[in-house]
Amino acid sequence: MAYTVLARRYRPQNFDEVIGQDAVVRTLRNAISADRVAHAYLFTGTRGVGKTTLARLLAKALNCEKGPTPDPCGKCDSCRRTQDGDDLDVIEIDGASNTGVDDVRSLRANAIYAPSRSRFKIYIIDEVHMLSNSAFNALLKTLEEPPAHVKFIFATTDPQKVPATIHSRCQRFDFRSVPTLIIADHLAHVCKMEKIKADSDALHVIAREGRGSVRDALTILDQAITVTGGEVRLASVLEALGLAGAERYFLVLDALQARDAAKALAMFDAALNDGVEVGEFLDHLLDHFRSLLLVKLAGLEAPGLDATAEERARFQKQSAAFAGDQLTLALELVGEARYRLRGLPGARPLAELALIQLASLPDFVAIGEALKRLGPVAAGSPSAAADEKKKPDALVSSAAPPHAVETAGETEIVDPGPEDVAVYPSPLGEVAPLGAGEGLRPKTAPTLTNASVPAPLEKPMTSAEQDELRRDPKVQKILKLFDGRIVDMRRRQPS
Ligand SMILES: [Zn+2]
């Protein structure tokens, strides 16, 4: 006997078997029970979420010999034929290949006649948005005055392309993308029925790869069973199906965390060579940073986190290396690059710029924390300690602002005179220059306004002068306080 693919074999035969569309199912069942079935429905949603399946189930429920009933028998001639898609009174039309006005005219001519043997003549038009304008107009006439024995069920992945005149004559149901966990449960059920051994992480990866579509996930499972020889294990699934994706992004993040921009760029290049699109790469990177932030904020069981148990543990480990503020900033950077990429499919430099920026995320230090690290020096002034308590916990950064990577990097030490040692924060948080001579405390309360622009700098110092400055204990203290490093030292321009 020919092999039937899982997606077909496990296509729901009654409403109870439908996965992840509870609201739609409940409403349709109620409508059938209350005899309030509309004459036209519009089912919207991405591919493989159950639109056609539910259209057929509705047809079955309406025409079952024991119906109309929300629980069609599945045994009568009408049920069986509808199930197999060869019932005379359930006409399935593919909008993509029957787009013309003539197709719709013949549909109209045909619709006038009573069903050959069932209660209703049911037209299921898939991908209805593909119809031409004249076809829509022809259809509209039938929709305005439908014969009592006719029902229309339209399905579309692109509801915006369906004219408003059609929308207004249909009851619309939006099918949601099915959550990964629900698909994974279903895959486990299918494996059990098929007597196939599968580990839950492998099924989770397959479910996630289905991206909300039960059908796509079942197709991948089919593939996995074939290539892995019947046992679905995580490692073999990743290898056989080329789904090493998640691993790639863990490694990219390792490079970014090590501030190794060159390595991150090389990995990006490798991804492109493997056929990953620029936008896809950024999407995955965005997902990864989001997962890190979720785990950081809400722990391993963070709601909305789409990951296997093993991945969760890895996210937790990796997120420990980043401050929450760094992750937030990273999300903004990648999101911005992704947004600017829209409509520019070849804009590789945008992604590269984002990676370079991500490899130099500023180290945020809370003012309170910074003063604590300073210890006895700050405590030397009682009023400073008192002030500190009132201050908002603003952020200081010792690194260059991420959008200005071309400027000289981190802590800037200005002028050999220790009285003028200054630390310039990133624009995200302002702190007044720390006067070394005044016990290293901020002169004013930090605020979150834009930082003042540093005084103009010029005249590089000689290396002897630089060495001397480097050895200055006050400079050492400031570097330690802000975990900074010296990138450039110049004499301040006389004002
Ligand atoms: Zn039946």
Side-chain angles (χ1 to χ4, degrees):
M1 204 181 103
Y3 176 72
T4 319
V5 295
L6 294 175
R8 270 191 68 187
R9 205 149 9 124
Y10 288 90
R11 174 171 262 191
Q13 298 304 340
N14 58 57
F15 285 118
D16 294 336
E17 289 173 21
V18 176
I19 304 151
Q21 306 298 348
D22 297 355
V24 179
V25 167
R26 200 165 44 240
T27 315
L28 285 177
R29 286 188 69 115
N30 289 344
I32 298 163
S33 303
D35 194 19
R36 295 179 62 89
V37 176
H39 69 265
Y41 287 97
L42 177 63
F43 290 173
T44 75
T46 53
R47 52 191 246 106
V49 291
K51 300 186 297 295
T52 316
T53 296
L54 266 173
R56 283 191 192 159
L57 281 178
L58 178 58
K60 211 161 116 175
L62 287 172
N63 277 348
C64 174
E65 283 168 16
K66 304 210 170 110
T69 166
D71 298 298
C73 72
K75 296 191 179 81
C76 71
D77 198 44
S78 170
C79 278
R80 277 190 290 113
R81 284 183 178 275
T82 306
Q83 226 157 274
D84 296 341
D86 67 352
D87 191 276
L88 283 175
D89 294 318
V90 179
I91 302 116
E92 290 193 34
I93 298 167
D94 178 10
S97 50
N98 300 277
T99 56
V101 65
D102 289 340
D103 297 310
V104 175
R105 283 215 183 101
S106 70
L107 180 158
R108 272 174 65 196
N110 194 288
I112 308 168
Y113 302 109
S116 52
R117 55 184 185 128
S118 313
R119 240 167 259 118
F120 296 102
K121 207 165 201 169
I122 298 162
Y123 290 90
I124 299 174
I125 305 185
D126 213 359
E127 298 301 339
V128 69
H129 64 273
M130 303 284 276
L131 292 182
S132 66
N133 271 341
S134 46
F136 272 127
N137 286 335
L139 189 60
L140 205 54
K141 294 206 174 107
T142 318
L143 276 180
E144 276 163 352
E145 293 168 40
H149 60 263
V150 169
K151 302 281 182 201
F152 284 102
I153 307 168
F154 305 122
T156 180
T157 50
D158 201 350
Q160 289 179 338
K161 286 195 185 141
V162 177
T165 44
I166 303 280
H167 271 280
S168 65
R169 283 170 179 79
C170 296
Q171 252 186 45
R172 172 171 166 169
F173 286 104
D174 295 326
F175 286 56
R176 60 176 194 154
S177 294
V178 184
T180 303
L181 285 179
I182 294 182
I183 299 181
D185 276 352
H186 182 59
L187 296 182
H189 166 75
V190 168
C191 285
K192 204 174 156 199
M193 301 293 288
E194 294 287 314
K195 297 194 169 52
I196 283 165
K197 284 182 188 161
D199 62 43
S200 60
D201 277 0
L203 293 181
H204 189 102
V205 167
I206 294 174
R208 190 174 52 199
E209 212 57 23
R211 294 192 175 263
S213 161
V214 182
R215 185 177 62 214
D216 286 0
L218 281 172
T219 305
I220 299 169
L221 178 62
D222 242 331
Q223 229 179 314
I225 293 169
T226 316
V227 283
T228 59
E231 281 211 12
V232 184
R233 302 282 171 228
L234 183 60
S236 50
V237 164
L238 288 176
E239 195 190 316
L241 302 182
L243 302 181
E247 192 57 37
R248 189 194 301 282
Y249 299 94
F250 275 110
L251 295 175
V252 172
L253 260 285
D254 281 344
L256 293 177
Q257 190 231 318
R259 296 181 177 266
D260 190 341
K263 193 171 175 192
L265 288 175
M267 300 193 67
F268 173 56
D269 187 59
L272 295 190
N273 286 335
D274 289 348
V276 177
E277 310 239 344
V278 178
E280 200 184 335
F281 182 89
L282 289 177
D283 281 343
H284 278 283
L285 204 56
L286 203 58
D287 278 350
H288 198 106
F289 274 116
R290 173 179 171 271
S291 302
L292 292 181
L293 188 60
L294 281 177
V295 169
K296 182 123 200 139
L297 296 178
L300 283 176
E301 298 304 319
L305 180 65
D306 192 2
T308 64
E310 191 218 336
E311 285 167 350
R312 281 166 197 265
R314 291 183 71 187
F315 280 134
Q316 191 172 49
K317 206 172 153 207
Q318 207 164 45
S319 71
F322 291 95
D325 298 297
Q326 288 180 315
L327 293 175
T328 315
L329 183 60
L331 269 172
E332 279 174 16
L333 281 171
V334 184
E336 169 76 13
R338 185 69 188 92
Y339 177 77
R340 286 167 64 196
L341 194 73
R342 268 164 223 279
L344 296 169
R348 175 174 176 165
L350 276 178
E352 288 170 339
L353 176 63
L355 285 173
I356 294 167
Q357 292 170 336
L358 290 169
S360 54
L361 287 175
D363 290 323
F364 294 106
V365 183
I367 286 283
E369 172 64 17
L371 289 173
K372 236 183 269 165
R373 281 195 218 169
L374 201 53
V377 184
S381 154
S383 67
D387 283 352
E388 192 197 323
K389 282 189 189 127
K390 290 181 227 141
K391 258 172 245 141
D393 207 14
L395 298 166
V396 190
S397 157
S398 60
H403 53 263
V405 286
E406 72 281 5
T407 64
E410 315 212 334
T411 310
E412 281 178 341
I413 305 294
V414 189
D415 198 301
E419 272 68 36
D420 262 319
V421 169
V423 175
Y424 293 109
S426 93
L428 286 173
E430 176 189 358
V431 61
L434 299 180
E438 296 178 27
L440 282 174
R441 65 187 162 80
K443 281 176 180 160
T444 55
T447 60
L448 283 171
T449 59
N450 281 339
S452 53
V453 180
L457 304 167
E458 60 164 24
K459 267 197 172 177
M461 294 160 65
T462 65
S463 52
E465 285 173 323
Q466 291 194 5
D467 283 346
E468 192 188 334
L469 185 51
R470 261 178 235 279
R471 283 193 296 270
D472 188 303
K474 280 171 185 161
V475 172
Q476 300 279 334
K477 198 168 276 174
I478 288 174
L479 289 178
K480 200 172 165 208
L481 170 62
F482 288 101
D483 272 343
R485 68 187 166 87
I486 297 171
V487 175
D488 194 14
M489 286 187 259
R490 295 171 192 222
R491 237 181 270 285
R492 180 172 294 188
Q493 196 172 34
S495 48

mmCIF file of all heavy atoms in Angstrom, residues 216-256:
data_model
loop_
_atom_site.group_PDB
_atom_site.id
_atom_site.type_symbol
_atom_site.label_atom_id
_atom_site.label_comp_id
_atom_site.label_asym_id
_atom_site.label_seq_id
_atom_site.Cartn_x
_atom_site.Cartn_y
_atom_site.Cartn_z
ATOM 1 N N ASP A 216 3.185 21.876 8.387
ATOM 2 C CA ASP A 216 4.622 21.949 8.114
ATOM 3 C C ASP A 216 5.409 21.101 9.118
ATOM 4 O O ASP A 216 6.357 20.411 8.760
ATOM 5 C CB ASP A 216 5.111 23.397 8.168
ATOM 6 C CG ASP A 216 4.661 24.190 6.948
ATOM 7 O OD1 ASP A 216 3.971 23.591 6.093
ATOM 8 O OD2 ASP A 216 4.979 25.390 6.850
ATOM 9 N N ALA A 217 4.989 21.167 10.388
ATOM 10 C CA ALA A 217 5.695 20.409 11.420
ATOM 11 C C ALA A 217 5.576 18.908 11.142
ATOM 12 O O ALA A 217 6.556 18.163 11.266
ATOM 13 C CB ALA A 217 5.141 20.749 12.798
ATOM 14 N N LEU A 218 4.384 18.472 10.741
ATOM 15 C CA LEU A 218 4.201 17.048 10.445
ATOM 16 C C LEU A 218 5.041 16.630 9.238
ATOM 17 O O LEU A 218 5.576 15.520 9.195
ATOM 18 C CB LEU A 218 2.718 16.752 10.185
ATOM 19 C CG LEU A 218 1.848 16.637 11.446
ATOM 20 C CD1 LEU A 218 0.371 16.549 11.077
ATOM 21 C CD2 LEU A 218 2.248 15.433 12.288
ATOM 22 N N THR A 219 5.167 17.529 8.278
ATOM 23 C CA THR A 219 5.981 17.226 7.104
ATOM 24 C C THR A 219 7.450 17.055 7.514
ATOM 25 O O THR A 219 8.128 16.129 7.064
ATOM 26 C CB THR A 219 5.853 18.356 6.057
ATOM 27 O OG1 THR A 219 4.466 18.538 5.779
ATOM 28 C CG2 THR A 219 6.587 18.015 4.779
ATOM 29 N N ILE A 220 7.917 17.941 8.405
ATOM 30 C CA ILE A 220 9.306 17.827 8.869
ATOM 31 C C ILE A 220 9.490 16.535 9.671
ATOM 32 O O ILE A 220 10.509 15.851 9.545
ATOM 33 C CB ILE A 220 9.705 19.059 9.715
ATOM 34 C CG1 ILE A 220 9.608 20.324 8.864
ATOM 35 C CG2 ILE A 220 11.110 18.913 10.263
ATOM 36 C CD1 ILE A 220 9.730 21.610 9.653
ATOM 37 N N LEU A 221 8.474 16.201 10.472
ATOM 38 C CA LEU A 221 8.558 14.964 11.253
ATOM 39 C C LEU A 221 8.680 13.752 10.320
ATOM 40 O O LEU A 221 9.491 12.846 10.555
ATOM 41 C CB LEU A 221 7.325 14.824 12.160
ATOM 42 C CG LEU A 221 7.263 13.539 13.000
ATOM 43 C CD1 LEU A 221 8.434 13.455 13.964
ATOM 44 C CD2 LEU A 221 5.948 13.457 13.776
ATOM 45 N N ASP A 222 7.864 13.763 9.265
ATOM 46 C CA ASP A 222 7.921 12.706 8.257
ATOM 47 C C ASP A 222 9.353 12.536 7.742
ATOM 48 O O ASP A 222 9.901 11.434 7.712
ATOM 49 C CB ASP A 222 7.038 13.110 7.063
ATOM 50 C CG ASP A 222 5.898 12.111 6.856
ATOM 51 O OD1 ASP A 222 6.086 10.927 7.203
ATOM 52 O OD2 ASP A 222 4.843 12.516 6.363
ATOM 53 N N GLN A 223 9.936 13.678 7.374
ATOM 54 C CA GLN A 223 11.302 13.720 6.861
ATOM 55 C C GLN A 223 12.272 13.158 7.904
ATOM 56 O O GLN A 223 13.135 12.346 7.590
ATOM 57 C CB GLN A 223 11.637 15.186 6.642
ATOM 58 C CG GLN A 223 12.242 15.541 5.316
ATOM 59 C CD GLN A 223 12.471 17.044 5.303
ATOM 60 O OE1 GLN A 223 11.597 17.827 5.691
ATOM 61 N NE2 GLN A 223 13.655 17.454 4.883
ATOM 62 N N ALA A 224 12.096 13.611 9.145
ATOM 63 C CA ALA A 224 13.002 13.200 10.223
ATOM 64 C C ALA A 224 12.942 11.693 10.423
ATOM 65 O O ALA A 224 13.967 11.043 10.606
ATOM 66 C CB ALA A 224 12.645 13.927 11.514
ATOM 67 N N ILE A 225 11.735 11.143 10.388
ATOM 68 C CA ILE A 225 11.581 9.701 10.588
ATOM 69 C C ILE A 225 12.309 8.946 9.480
ATOM 70 O O ILE A 225 13.009 7.955 9.716
ATOM 71 C CB ILE A 225 10.087 9.316 10.633
ATOM 72 C CG1 ILE A 225 9.441 9.906 11.884
ATOM 73 C CG2 ILE A 225 9.916 7.795 10.605
ATOM 74 C CD1 ILE A 225 7.936 9.814 11.903
ATOM 75 N N THR A 226 12.179 9.445 8.255
ATOM 76 C CA THR A 226 12.826 8.781 7.129
ATOM 77 C C THR A 226 14.348 8.808 7.274
ATOM 78 O O THR A 226 15.003 7.770 7.200
ATOM 79 C CB THR A 226 12.445 9.472 5.799
ATOM 80 O OG1 THR A 226 11.049 9.734 5.831
ATOM 81 C CG2 THR A 226 12.781 8.597 4.630
ATOM 82 N N VAL A 227 14.905 10.007 7.521
ATOM 83 C CA VAL A 227 16.366 10.088 7.527
ATOM 84 C C VAL A 227 17.006 9.509 8.780
ATOM 85 O O VAL A 227 18.140 9.054 8.743
ATOM 86 C CB VAL A 227 16.887 11.536 7.328
ATOM 87 C CG1 VAL A 227 16.779 11.946 5.893
ATOM 88 C CG2 VAL A 227 16.180 12.506 8.229
ATOM 89 N N THR A 228 16.267 9.522 9.898
ATOM 90 C CA THR A 228 16.895 9.009 11.117
ATOM 91 C C THR A 228 16.590 7.533 11.313
ATOM 92 O O THR A 228 16.996 6.948 12.302
ATOM 93 C CB THR A 228 16.414 9.774 12.367
ATOM 94 O OG1 THR A 228 14.998 9.640 12.453
ATOM 95 C CG2 THR A 228 16.773 11.234 12.294
ATOM 96 N N GLY A 229 15.878 6.947 10.374
ATOM 97 C CA GLY A 229 15.613 5.513 10.436
ATOM 98 C C GLY A 229 14.648 5.139 11.546
ATOM 99 O O GLY A 229 14.742 4.058 12.117
ATOM 100 N N GLY A 230 13.743 6.019 11.885
ATOM 101 C CA GLY A 230 12.654 5.636 12.776
ATOM 102 C C GLY A 230 12.791 6.097 14.203
ATOM 103 O O GLY A 230 11.835 6.091 14.952
ATOM 104 N N GLU A 231 14.000 6.500 14.625
ATOM 105 C CA GLU A 231 14.143 7.032 15.980
ATOM 106 C C GLU A 231 14.443 8.508 15.900
ATOM 107 O O GLU A 231 15.442 8.912 15.315
ATOM 108 C CB GLU A 231 15.266 6.309 16.729
ATOM 109 C CG GLU A 231 14.827 4.964 17.249
ATOM 110 C CD GLU A 231 15.551 4.597 18.543
ATOM 111 O OE1 GLU A 231 16.197 5.476 19.133
ATOM 112 O OE2 GLU A 231 15.451 3.434 18.944
ATOM 113 N N VAL A 232 13.571 9.290 16.497
ATOM 114 C CA VAL A 232 13.731 10.735 16.372
ATOM 115 C C VAL A 232 14.478 11.274 17.584
ATOM 116 O O VAL A 232 13.903 11.450 18.651
ATOM 117 C CB VAL A 232 12.350 11.409 16.207
ATOM 118 C CG1 VAL A 232 12.513 12.899 15.970
ATOM 119 C CG2 VAL A 232 11.589 10.768 15.055
ATOM 120 N N ARG A 233 15.778 11.498 17.400
ATOM 121 C CA ARG A 233 16.618 12.017 18.489
ATOM 122 C C ARG A 233 17.136 13.397 18.104
ATOM 123 O O ARG A 233 17.387 13.672 16.922
ATOM 124 C CB ARG A 233 17.819 11.091 18.735
ATOM 125 C CG ARG A 233 17.441 9.674 19.075
ATOM 126 C CD ARG A 233 17.006 9.557 20.531
ATOM 127 N NE ARG A 233 16.456 8.245 20.804
ATOM 128 C CZ ARG A 233 15.303 8.044 21.441
ATOM 129 N NH1 ARG A 233 14.571 9.064 21.855
ATOM 130 N NH2 ARG A 233 14.865 6.827 21.668
ATOM 131 N N LEU A 234 17.360 14.211 19.121
ATOM 132 C CA LEU A 234 17.719 15.608 18.866
ATOM 133 C C LEU A 234 18.936 15.747 17.948
ATOM 134 O O LEU A 234 18.878 16.420 16.927
ATOM 135 C CB LEU A 234 17.971 16.349 20.187
ATOM 136 C CG LEU A 234 18.292 17.841 20.031
ATOM 137 C CD1 LEU A 234 17.151 18.577 19.352
ATOM 138 C CD2 LEU A 234 18.591 18.477 21.370
ATOM 139 N N ALA A 235 20.018 15.079 18.311
ATOM 140 C CA ALA A 235 21.255 15.248 17.540
ATOM 141 C C ALA A 235 21.047 14.862 16.083
ATOM 142 O O ALA A 235 21.452 15.595 15.169
ATOM 143 C CB ALA A 235 22.367 14.408 18.159
ATOM 144 N N SER A 236 20.378 13.728 15.859
ATOM 145 C CA SER A 236 20.224 13.275 14.480
ATOM 146 C C SER A 236 19.261 14.176 13.715
ATOM 147 O O SER A 236 19.422 14.402 12.520
ATOM 148 C CB SER A 236 19.771 11.817 14.432
ATOM 149 O OG SER A 236 18.664 11.617 15.264
ATOM 150 N N VAL A 237 18.267 14.712 14.426
ATOM 151 C CA VAL A 237 17.343 15.631 13.754
ATOM 152 C C VAL A 237 18.090 16.889 13.310
ATOM 153 O O VAL A 237 17.977 17.335 12.171
ATOM 154 C CB VAL A 237 16.160 16.007 14.686
ATOM 155 C CG1 VAL A 237 15.416 17.221 14.169
ATOM 156 C CG2 VAL A 237 15.206 14.828 14.814
ATOM 157 N N LEU A 238 18.890 17.435 14.234
ATOM 158 C CA LEU A 238 19.637 18.649 13.908
ATOM 159 C C LEU A 238 20.566 18.407 12.730
ATOM 160 O O LEU A 238 20.675 19.223 11.818
ATOM 161 C CB LEU A 238 20.454 19.109 15.125
ATOM 162 C CG LEU A 238 19.657 19.698 16.281
ATOM 163 C CD1 LEU A 238 20.574 20.011 17.447
ATOM 164 C CD2 LEU A 238 18.903 20.940 15.846
ATOM 165 N N GLU A 239 21.209 17.253 12.760
ATOM 166 C CA GLU A 239 22.175 16.963 11.710
ATOM 167 C C GLU A 239 21.483 16.657 10.383
ATOM 168 O O GLU A 239 21.774 17.260 9.362
ATOM 169 C CB GLU A 239 23.030 15.780 12.146
ATOM 170 C CG GLU A 239 24.278 15.624 11.321
ATOM 171 C CD GLU A 239 24.963 14.309 11.628
ATOM 172 O OE1 GLU A 239 25.076 13.968 12.813
ATOM 173 O OE2 GLU A 239 25.351 13.621 10.679
ATOM 174 N N ALA A 240 20.514 15.752 10.449
ATOM 175 C CA ALA A 240 19.898 15.281 9.215
ATOM 176 C C ALA A 240 19.090 16.369 8.520
ATOM 177 O O ALA A 240 19.036 16.439 7.300
ATOM 178 C CB ALA A 240 19.012 14.079 9.512
ATOM 179 N N LEU A 241 18.450 17.218 9.298
ATOM 180 C CA LEU A 241 17.595 18.217 8.666
ATOM 181 C C LEU A 241 18.293 19.568 8.495
ATOM 182 O O LEU A 241 17.695 20.530 8.063
ATOM 183 C CB LEU A 241 16.310 18.398 9.466
ATOM 184 C CG LEU A 241 15.474 17.117 9.647
ATOM 185 C CD1 LEU A 241 14.207 17.417 10.396
ATOM 186 C CD2 LEU A 241 15.163 16.481 8.303
ATOM 187 N N GLY A 242 19.546 19.602 8.871
ATOM 188 C CA GLY A 242 20.270 20.864 8.710
ATOM 189 C C GLY A 242 19.689 21.964 9.571
ATOM 190 O O GLY A 242 19.678 23.125 9.206
ATOM 191 N N LEU A 243 19.164 21.606 10.727
ATOM 192 C CA LEU A 243 18.557 22.605 11.587
ATOM 193 C C LEU A 243 19.532 23.042 12.677
ATOM 194 O O LEU A 243 19.174 23.208 13.816
ATOM 195 C CB LEU A 243 17.285 22.050 12.240
ATOM 196 C CG LEU A 243 16.200 21.565 11.296
ATOM 197 C CD1 LEU A 243 15.005 21.075 12.075
ATOM 198 C CD2 LEU A 243 15.778 22.679 10.368
ATOM 199 N N ALA A 244 20.787 23.181 12.288
ATOM 200 C CA ALA A 244 21.785 23.558 13.283
ATOM 201 C C ALA A 244 21.691 25.035 13.624
ATOM 202 O O ALA A 244 22.577 25.596 14.250
ATOM 203 C CB ALA A 244 23.178 23.206 12.792
ATOM 204 N N GLY A 245 20.618 25.653 13.174
ATOM 205 C CA GLY A 245 20.444 27.099 13.314
ATOM 206 C C GLY A 245 20.714 27.651 14.690
ATOM 207 O O GLY A 245 21.527 28.557 14.856
ATOM 208 N N ALA A 246 20.044 27.086 15.700
ATOM 209 C CA ALA A 246 20.152 27.639 17.047
ATOM 210 C C ALA A 246 21.608 27.655 17.505
ATOM 211 O O ALA A 246 22.072 28.616 18.099
ATOM 212 C CB ALA A 246 19.292 26.837 18.007
ATOM 213 N N GLU A 247 22.324 26.575 17.173
ATOM 214 C CA GLU A 247 23.726 26.464 17.561
ATOM 215 C C GLU A 247 24.547 27.629 17.014
ATOM 216 O O GLU A 247 25.367 28.215 17.710
ATOM 217 C CB GLU A 247 24.284 25.136 17.016
ATOM 218 C CG GLU A 247 25.627 24.767 17.568
ATOM 219 C CD GLU A 247 25.616 24.687 19.087
ATOM 220 O OE1 GLU A 247 24.600 24.231 19.657
ATOM 221 O OE2 GLU A 247 26.616 25.111 19.688
ATOM 222 N N ARG A 248 24.288 27.963 15.781
ATOM 223 C CA ARG A 248 25.005 29.060 15.124
ATOM 224 C C ARG A 248 24.909 30.345 15.955
ATOM 225 O O ARG A 248 25.890 31.047 16.160
ATOM 226 C CB ARG A 248 24.381 29.302 13.739
ATOM 227 C CG ARG A 248 25.166 30.272 12.876
ATOM 228 C CD ARG A 248 24.373 30.741 11.671
ATOM 229 N NE ARG A 248 23.920 29.714 10.743
ATOM 230 C CZ ARG A 248 24.692 29.124 9.830
ATOM 231 N NH1 ARG A 248 25.956 29.435 9.765
ATOM 232 N NH2 ARG A 248 24.190 28.223 9.018
ATOM 233 N N TYR A 249 23.717 30.611 16.475
ATOM 234 C CA TYR A 249 23.513 31.891 17.157
ATOM 235 C C TYR A 249 24.096 31.877 18.573
ATOM 236 O O TYR A 249 24.513 32.917 19.067
ATOM 237 C CB TYR A 249 22.032 32.290 17.085
ATOM 238 C CG TYR A 249 21.638 32.434 15.632
ATOM 239 C CD1 TYR A 249 21.054 31.370 14.932
ATOM 240 C CD2 TYR A 249 21.974 33.581 14.917
ATOM 241 C CE1 TYR A 249 20.780 31.469 13.577
ATOM 242 C CE2 TYR A 249 21.711 33.684 13.561
ATOM 243 C CZ TYR A 249 21.102 32.629 12.896
ATOM 244 O OH TYR A 249 20.867 32.726 11.547
ATOM 245 N N PHE A 250 24.152 30.708 19.166
ATOM 246 C CA PHE A 250 24.863 30.619 20.445
ATOM 247 C C PHE A 250 26.333 31.000 20.237
ATOM 248 O O PHE A 250 26.929 31.714 21.042
ATOM 249 C CB PHE A 250 24.776 29.203 21.027
ATOM 250 C CG PHE A 250 23.509 28.967 21.822
ATOM 251 C CD1 PHE A 250 22.516 28.129 21.353
ATOM 252 C CD2 PHE A 250 23.320 29.605 23.046
ATOM 253 C CE1 PHE A 250 21.362 27.931 22.078
ATOM 254 C CE2 PHE A 250 22.163 29.414 23.774
ATOM 255 C CZ PHE A 250 21.177 28.570 23.295
ATOM 256 N N LEU A 251 26.905 30.519 19.129
ATOM 257 C CA LEU A 251 28.317 30.806 18.861
ATOM 258 C C LEU A 251 28.542 32.277 18.513
ATOM 259 O O LEU A 251 29.518 32.886 18.941
ATOM 260 C CB LEU A 251 28.822 29.901 17.725
ATOM 261 C CG LEU A 251 28.837 28.414 18.066
ATOM 262 C CD1 LEU A 251 29.232 27.575 16.863
ATOM 263 C CD2 LEU A 251 29.793 28.146 19.232
ATOM 264 N N VAL A 252 27.603 32.850 17.728
ATOM 265 C CA VAL A 252 27.715 34.273 17.400
ATOM 266 C C VAL A 252 27.694 35.088 18.691
ATOM 267 O O VAL A 252 28.491 36.004 18.892
ATOM 268 C CB VAL A 252 26.564 34.724 16.469
ATOM 269 C CG1 VAL A 252 26.576 36.242 16.306
ATOM 270 C CG2 VAL A 252 26.686 34.059 15.104
ATOM 271 N N LEU A 253 26.802 34.706 19.606
ATOM 272 C CA LEU A 253 26.689 35.437 20.870
ATOM 273 C C LEU A 253 27.962 35.297 21.711
ATOM 274 O O LEU A 253 28.373 36.246 22.368
ATOM 275 C CB LEU A 253 25.469 34.943 21.650
ATOM 276 C CG LEU A 253 24.213 35.803 21.569
ATOM 277 C CD1 LEU A 253 24.375 37.057 22.419
ATOM 278 C CD2 LEU A 253 23.903 36.220 20.135
ATOM 279 N N ASP A 254 28.559 34.102 21.656
ATOM 280 C CA ASP A 254 29.835 33.924 22.373
ATOM 281 C C ASP A 254 30.874 34.920 21.850
ATOM 282 O O ASP A 254 31.599 35.541 22.613
ATOM 283 C CB ASP A 254 30.366 32.492 22.183
ATOM 284 C CG ASP A 254 29.644 31.507 23.094
ATOM 285 O OD1 ASP A 254 28.980 31.970 24.047
ATOM 286 O OD2 ASP A 254 29.745 30.294 22.846
ATOM 287 N N ALA A 255 30.912 35.062 20.513
ATOM 288 C CA ALA A 255 31.877 35.986 19.902
ATOM 289 C C ALA A 255 31.578 37.423 20.321
ATOM 290 O O ALA A 255 32.489 38.185 20.654
ATOM 291 C CB ALA A 255 31.841 35.850 18.382
ATOM 292 N N LEU A 256 30.294 37.787 20.314
ATOM 293 C CA LEU A 256 29.932 39.158 20.674
ATOM 294 C C LEU A 256 30.278 39.440 22.128
ATOM 295 O O LEU A 256 30.765 40.513 22.471
ATOM 296 C CB LEU A 256 28.436 39.387 20.446
ATOM 297 C CG LEU A 256 27.985 39.362 18.984
ATOM 298 C CD1 LEU A 256 26.473 39.527 18.892
ATOM 299 C CD2 LEU A 256 28.683 40.453 18.188
#
